[in-house]
Each structure stands twice: as C-alpha cells, then as structure tokens.
Amino acid sequence: MSMEIKIKYHVPDMEKMPPVRHGDWIDLRAAETVELKAGEFRIISLGVSMKLPEGYEAHLLPRSSTFKKWGVIQANSMGVIDNSYCGEEDIWGFSALAMRDTKIEKGDRICQFRLFKKMEEVSFIEVEHMEDASRGGFGSTGTK
C-alpha cells in the first residue's frame, strides 16, 4: 500500500510529481526563473504545498548536481518541513546561496526530499560522569 500526500501546485504549468518507488528521493523543481549574483541569497519557490502524513517530516537537500550546474549551496544545510506546514500559502522553498553568478530556469530540478518518521519522545537523565572512554575530542576519529 502506498502513502498518499495531498499536493497543491501553485504554478499551473508545473510538471506534476510522478509516483515514487520505495526508498527513492523525490526531485523538486524551481517554480520560477532566478538570476543570482555571487554572494546573493534567495529562497527559490518550489511551487508546491503538501500535507505530509501524521508523524512524518520532509528533509530537503540539494541534488548532487546542483552546485556543479548552478554554483549554489543550500544556505541552511538542510531544510526540515514538518507536517503542520501545509496551509494554502505554505509553499515549499529552497534557500539558495550563490557562490558565482548563475541563472536557474523555471522547471530545473534543484533539490530533493525524502520523508522521515519524527523522532519519538526523548528524556534526558543528568549524570555527574560519563562511564565510557573518551575518544579524544570532537572531530577526532583519526587520520586513516
């Protein structure tokens, strides 16, 4: 049985989302043509609103070719869209930071998302000392 997601397209001539096989990331397209100068930031509209299933969130990341093709990085490293971001005007966007002058055309596949189950409830237990051996500090997994 497949999961169903309600989707609204805010741009009439946008390519519709195809069904997705188990485990694949889902590509999203720029809903507008955008020209950016090096160092410029802009949230690029993806032209869709979605109602995600209860208990799920979407993790939004650039496609592997996004930087190579357009020289943009995702300014916030990763976008997280929870299932409450689903109103009429809650349009998904990609936060782009241009590293060089570039032009992204409407319809270009610039990012992708995948659904993840939300983390279960967590409790923290304060202790005076940690019992395991130290690894040598943050970022110290070794040189080989």
Side-chain angles (χ1 to χ4, degrees):
M1 183 174 160
S2 69
M3 183 181 297
E4 292 183 346
I5 296 175
K6 291 180 183 178
I7 185 168
K8 176 178 179 171
Y9 296 93
H10 294 270
V11 179
D13 60 344
M14 261 187 95
E15 189 171 322
K16 306 299 185 210
M17 305 278 285
V20 178
R21 292 191 322 244
H22 179 75
D24 289 347
W25 284 75
I26 303 163
D27 287 339
L28 293 166
R29 298 173 183 274
E32 58 187 334
T33 296
V34 175
E35 289 190 55
L36 298 167
K37 299 291 182 198
E40 191 176 353
F41 167 80
R42 173 137 179 214
I43 296 176
I44 300 171
S45 175
L46 301 171
V48 295
S49 298
M50 295 186 214
K51 174 61 177 165
L52 302 178
E54 191 65 37
Y56 284 84
E57 62 191 20
H59 292 186
L60 186 102
L61 294 162
R63 296 182 75 237
S64 58
S65 61
T66 297
F67 184 78
K68 184 173 101 177
K69 286 182 180 178
W70 298 289
V72 296
I73 60 174
Q74 188 168 356
N76 56 345
S77 300
M78 179 178 86
V80 177
I81 302 170
D82 63 41
N83 65 341
S84 68
Y85 189 71
C86 59
E88 184 69 18
E89 299 302 318
D90 291 337
I91 301 170
W92 290 24
F94 178 75
S95 56
L97 176 61
M99 304 309 290
R100 65 176 186 257
D101 292 359
T102 192
K103 183 177 183 181
I104 298 169
E105 299 286 347
K106 178 180 173 183
D108 284 342
R109 294 180 300 156
I110 58 172
C111 60
Q112 59 191 341
F113 78 97
R114 187 171 189 169
L115 298 179
F116 288 90
K117 283 191 173 186
K118 289 186 177 182
M119 185 169 60
E120 295 183 24
E121 186 175 320
V122 174
S123 298
F124 294 93
I125 303 167
E126 186 175 353
V127 297
E128 290 293 320
H129 302 284
M130 300 302 287
E131 298 172 7
D132 294 325
S134 292
R135 291 180 45 189
F138 191 77
S140 63
T141 57
T143 57
K144 295 185 181 196

